Amino acid sequence: MAAPELAQTDPEGIEGVRMTWLNWPQSKVEASKCVIPIAASIQPIRPHVDLQILPYAPLRCKTCSAVLNPFCRVDFTALIWVCPFCFQRNHFPHYYSSMSQTNLPAELYPNFPSVEYSIQNPQNFNPAVAASPIFLFVLDTCMIEEELEFAKSALKRAIGLLPENAMVGFVSYGTQVQVHELGFSEMSKVYVFRGSKDISKDQVLEQLGIAVQGNRRAGPGMQKSGGGPSPVAGAGPNMGINRFLLPASECDYTLDSLLDELVTDQWPIAPGNRALRCTGVALSVATGLLGASTTGTCARIILLVGGPCTEGPGSIVSKDLSDPVRSHKDLDKDAAPFFKKAVHFYDELGKQLVSQGHVLDVFASALDQVGIAEMKIAIEKTGGLVVLAESFGHSVFKDSFKRIFEVGEQSLGIAFDGTLEINCSKDIKVQGIIGPCTSLEKKGPAVANTVIGQGNTTAWKMCGLDKSTCLTVFFDVSSGEKSDPAGSSQLYVQFLTSYQSSDGQMRLRVTTVARNWVSGSEDLVQGFDQEVAAVVMARLASFKMEMEEGFDATRWLDRNLIRLCSKFGDYRKDDPASFTLNPCFSLFPQFMFNLRRSQFVQVFNNSPDETAYFRILLNRESISNAVVMIQPSLISYAFSSLPAPTLLDVQSIAPDRILLLDSYFSVVIFHGMSIAQWRNMGCQNQPEHEGFAMLLQAPQEDAQLIIRDRFPVPRLVVCDQHGSQARFLLAKLNPSATYSNAQEMMQTGSDVIFTDDVSLQVFIDHLQRLAVQAS
Amino acid sequence: MAAPGGPRPGNFPPNYNPNSLSNNMQNLQINQQQPNNAGVSAPRPPPNATPFGQRAPAFAGSRPGPPPPGVFPRAPVPPNAPAQTTLPPNMVSSRPAGPPPGSQLPPPPFASRPPPPGAMPSSIGGPVTPSPPALGPRPGSYPSSPQTSAPSTPSHGSGSGPVSNGPPTFAPRMTQSGPPFPPAMGSMPRPLVGPPQPPAMLSSRPSSQPMQMHSSFGGPPTAVSSASGQSAPPFSGPPQNMMPPLGSSPFSAPNTGMHQSINSPYGMQTWPAQPQQVAPPPPGSMQQPPLMFGMPPGGQSLPNQSMAMSHSGQSNIDPNQIPRLAPSASVIVHETRQGNQANPPPPATSDYIVKDTGNSSPRYMRCTINQVPLTADLLSTSGMQMSLLVQPLALAHPSEEPIHVVDFGESGPVRCSRCKGYINPFVKFIDQGRRFICNLCGFMDETPRDYHCNLGPDGRRRDADERPELCRGTVEFVATKDYMVRDPMPAVFFFLIDVSMNPTQTGATAAACSAIRQVIADLPKGPRTMVGIATFDSTIHFYNLKRSSQQPLMLIVPDVQDVYTPLESDVIVQFSECCEHLEMLLDNIPTMFESNRIADSALGAAVKAAFLAMKNTGGKLLVFQSVLPSTGIGSLSVRESEGRSNISAGEKEAHKLLQPSDKTLKTMAMELAEYQVCVDLFITSQMYVDIASLSVIPRTTGGQVYYYYPFSARSDPAKLYNDLRWNITRPQGFEAVLRVRCSQGIQVQEYSGNFCKRIPTDVDLPAIDCDKTIMVSLNHDDKLQEGSECSFQCALLYTTVYGQRRIRVSTLSLPCTNMLSNLFRSADLDTQFTCITKQAAIEIPSAPLAQVRDQATNVCINILYSYRKFCATVSSSGQLILPEALKMLPLYTLALLKCIGLRSDGRIDDRSVWINYVSPLPTPLVIPLVYPRMIALQDLNEKELDDSIIPVPIPLSSEHIAIDGIYLLENGVDCLIYVGEDVQPNILQQMFGISSIEEIPNQFILQQYDNPLSKKLNDIVNEIRRQRCSYLRLRLCKKGDPSGMMFFSYLVEDKTANGFSYVEYLIHIHRQIQNKMA
């Protein structure tokens, strides 16, 4: 959406689904020859203007429980529909009797492959009560005074934005964990947990004095309510947890004064040591605390962390400052003694959270790493949000943080307790999903033998999701010949997403897509979606880099690209000059070129934390956003012309241009030399140079547009040619002009990139040569 | 060794440092107290305040002094001396009388007795004149005599002269033969003697028949008095005998003595004081020997001796004539050395003023025997034990000179390079002062150059009199860096309060908070005073007091299995910074937890957590607990059998319940001690709390257990407050190490008391205060040199509440002897008996009760047997002969057997508390604990109180309880006021504001009404409080009520289900001795 140069309008459409191949190869062999895996990118709860909300319950197939959809064959007279997945004949209930060819219920409209059912809570809970989400803030206090002040003020603002019925809890930590009992009026009261010792949920509850009371009293209550989703408030006022979680309307004053008094961690820091920070235990405690709420309650743990965990489980580095935090090199060489243990810890924590249905959000602001690489697993499994910034005072943090709590247009559309189920035609197998979800291990015939990401299932849990959440589903085609009893060449995939929306309603989104089986290469080519393919390759490469030891992503990408070109290119053998690619593939090599150079593959330029952060976002953002991450967009602003996308190339730099680079994580406004000079002279303030002022203004406004819609908020860099900040731009440009060929290229007054990297041209040349000689 | 000698008293000026710690402490307290009292008092009657005040200078003197009257005559005795003589007779007699002891039962003996008295008189009689005093009651007969005698004594005692008190006199004699003294004596202020004695002593006793008796005994008493002078007159016989013995072989002498009167036996006679002994008593009837109590000189005990006469129909023994304590009213002035001789100290329970003339004041260190036997054999023959009781920070009498503080600068105090003993008056300088010989190990050291001084013609350093360390038995050295492992710790006070359901509902929490709230004003001022507070139920709640906000922050540590401190700093804060917050918090805690429904209490974990918070500094941890710790580290369970009833079942293993139930708390206690944390436990309970297990912590860390059972929110808060206040304001020190060194030939066998034993040679004391005593048992590892002196040096390194590091060194040098009679003569009854009591307390948890009881009796029997066999062989076997110095031993032993700790019918917790209470208890408090003081109140108005506020005590026998009387009985812990059935209503009205006995409340609070009687009662109670440094739990008792039962259970001379009457016991003992003899 925010990438103008790709401005196909709404490629996802109402389905919210994009696939690498619109038409699917019929056999497994064929599929493997396609090089690019068959995958779908789905945004399960993407809003759409045409989306119909149906106030009744869906009809499900009695054998496969697929939901009635436009692709079902319907016998209006007999009131029977045939499930396209299992071919089961199902009767419509009587209230569908008025239905006819011309009077279709919404879920049968062909134009509405997606519909959403609004489900009455089975327990007839008062929706207003049921809706109360829990926000448990976990604040690190091991930071300098100034940072803590920033964090506190952000928290205060956030609490002010919370809906009145939202339940709020507060945990602060440093060397130890402090759980604040907000419901205690006599004085400030906190429970202190030791930071060096892991603590189970049961222990947390017992020690907080919740377990005994809670279990005893909540027990019968839960049985009565049938064990369904019963948010905390519904469980009765006796539950001890209400001492710690209060409606925002009741505790904002308490929290305010509490925050006012909160000081940085007072435990002494030995010289030459890091502060003792027990992030791991703090999260354990927070998780345990939320464990007291009944299943199905919507809750988020919002962690504000200012440095690495050095105490207790989840530690990522020793206390000694002379030990640096692990780098990619350390990870490669297995020289990060804390890494595996910490990952295991967060894995377990993630499982715990998922079983409770709660979300972990991490907001990290630190100059050093804080351990996102280790926490990643817990964040992704729960569908949490993550923001990495340099300071709590920085807009990247401040504005992003605020976004979570905003409502209305700007809202992230945060939803809870999501479950995705996939039904698909018989010969299709699901390998797994890469993205913010957890496998529910629901076995079935559609489960593939090979697993990618969260697999071995046809159902996934998404504790937290929002309207832009995106999942990548990998499909496999069964090896057997397509038996085609109906003679149809269509295949169907149905995505069922149930979730609790931010206003507390239970929803079920049903998206059914139909695609075609094809056998010819021609049909395949036409159905190729380059962007999706690029993104899927990026996600897959990232995934493999994490999962497979010694995986060489560059070679893997190269080889696949070459194979793809060999398969789908037009050329004469061994004649590179004869090589041409179908337009459907034309951008793909360039995507791959940029992907090879991107932070996703060239991880050594980044810390493991940054890499983890980038990957989390790569995996959960929409295709168009992910494409920008891989290949940033560049817009040029100049006198006498409209802003226009321009080549992502060093040659796009010109003294009298302003460039706007959107690389997703940062937005760079780059002033050419002359522009910078004029601006410094103050020309924009002179009435006769109104045009110049407008020129200066235009990229700013566009940048704000980009920033406004994006979460996390990108970092805005405004720089001038030859300025030090210009590196943010130069790093992303194709190095067509380097010091080695500076002479020939320098004519335009553009710039030179000091690098040994190959330029796109060289890359393409090699590709052509290799593609034609291959096989 | 230069004798510090008495001679130079007076000149210390140079070194003398007025600011000695002790002074400071006292002063402070004083100041505070006074004011406080007023302020504090709120809860309790104003007067009370004073009790604690004692430490206060004002009182200072008071403590020791006045009390005596009540106490044992001994000390004060001098006057009494005569009395003693009297006693001897009686005591013994009772039993003995039955010459045929074995065969005849008590009755007969008694019967016979009566006559004896008469007889006695003759023998004794002679001496009698003096005796009167002793027998209070009989005064009539004797009155005059005593005094007379007294005077005479002086001449003798002259040595002791200072005080009339017998004791002093002793000293001289003991060591040296009689003659030497005279000279010394001269120096002393004899005059005193005369006056005080007689009057005080006698008056009170209400003996009736006595008259006759007296006469008979009177004789003896006189003896006593004469003793001083030379009892000769009274017991003419004996004295003579006596004389010889001294000179001659120890034993022989005794024998002779024996014959006649007891006196002789003891070498005592030599002494002026001794004479009293004469114990012809019982037998009275018989001239001979029926029973003799030898009350040697030791005490002037005369008074006691009432004989056992047969006045009562059946019994032959007149209870009034059995050895009893004679009250002394006057203050004794005691010089620790006279004539270069150790001067035997006055009884620990007497009121005395010490002049440190070389030996340590007996307050700081006293030995069970004031002469040291040359060999282990001699000691074991005597049946006595040799132990020191050291109380290094004991409160001094206000009239005493403060302890000198000596600063040696950077080099630190001069010490022996071999044994590390500290320089003291008994170090001998030789070679023109260039070298010195250590009196402890005999090693020859070079005198440090800048400490060199030439010797005078007498062989002493010329500057000896100017240097306190060379002429004072107790000095305090400023410690240098070498004595510090770290900077001296701040004074940290951490309060830990149980807020679980029980205490919040019983009011214990509120009482604790209120006590703390009032007490914090008394904390030492200054930046070095830190405080912290925490509460606990099933979790531990700390409070951050250092906040800008209006409210403290409560920090809860919920993990009671594995605790930690919730903050590194700010849990313990400078007092000045958090005073307001603390007060507010203390006000809030009771209401905050008012409706607490958590019944569990995690005491162990809370202590551990507080410890972690205090680990860096150490300090005092004051814990207020009410229930059995039921959760977390060190939780306890209601133990089998006892738990339910809290009464020991009396089975074989019953004593197991008095042992800690597991090692967890012990381990924790060791850790606490290692980091200098001292724990005091205030138990405000209404049920079993397993004191046996809990007390391990205070005992190991130098603290103590305070026990309020059953806690009453009405009457106990005042005591709680006062206990807490005294706990905090009394003189005390932190991070202390104590060590006792002895001359070659003697070694320390064991220390016992409340401290941490890590290595056998040192006593680690996270905290020590003026009330803590450590018993040091000694044994021989070699033979001593005849004619030499044996030194004991106690060194206490500690940090004052103001952060100065000090070493308090007390040195005691005693003569050595190879005469058994000297040992008996110089035995220190109070100290001996204190050791016996403490040992019994140590034994109780590990041995069957019967065994402990037998052992106590056996100790008594063995000593008397030894005396009988070796020092009084001549007398007939039918006589019970008691060494004068130890004549009260049977009575005390009997009383001990009836103590709650040695009874099988007590609650387990009560027994544990008793054991714990005894463990660190100083001698002057052990005696009343075992043998309480009882006084009559009904006739307060009629009596013109002489200088002492407290009337003369009466024996603990129900015969002395009249139905129209009101009696006050106190043992330093409890104070029972018994109201007879027929008390005049107007007295009740005046004293208690009630009109009839039926209105006696369960929970009693003493109030002062506007009438002289009430005022006197309050004065008395306050005086007792002051003496005991204890607020006392007051209770009104009446007959037919459990309270009445309790009262009567303290009357140890009565026959009870638990044991013999006094007379019976004497007979029992006598029989045992006779069996042994046979």
Side-chain angles (χ1 to χ4, degrees), chain A residues 176 186 188 190 192 194 261, chain B residues 547 549 551 556 564-565:
Chain A
Q176 294 175 330
E186 317 258 357
S188 315
V190 297
V192 182
R194 171 210 305 265
E261 292 188 5
Chain B
R547 299 184 99 209
S549 67
Q551 286 192 326
I556 297 172
Y564 39 90
T565 172

Side-chain angles (χ1 to χ4, degrees), chain B residues 535-555:
Chain B
T535 55
F536 63 96
D537 42 38
S538 64
T539 58
I540 305 149
H541 327 124
F542 284 86
Y543 299 87
N544 179 351
L545 301 169
K546 189 181 187 177
R547 299 184 99 209
S548 45
S549 67
Q550 310 115 329
Q551 286 192 326
L553 168 67
M554 181 198 283
L555 299 140

Side-chain angles (χ1 to χ4, degrees), chain A residues 472-500:
Chain A
T472 310
V473 190
F474 289 84
F475 294 101
D476 199 0
V477 176
S478 68
S479 46
E481 279 302 302
K482 296 285 142 316
S483 59
D484 205 14
S488 155
S489 66
Q490 284 215 301
L491 61 96
Y492 305 100
V493 181
Q494 186 174 59
F495 301 95
L496 304 169
T497 311
S498 67
Y499 66 99
Q500 181 177 329

Side-chain angles (χ1 to χ4, degrees), chain B residues 382-399:
Chain B
S382 73
M384 293 189 286
Q385 56 181 316
M386 187 163 64
S387 296
L388 292 173
L389 286 171
V390 295
Q391 190 183 357
L393 297 183
L395 289 180
H397 192 285
S399 312

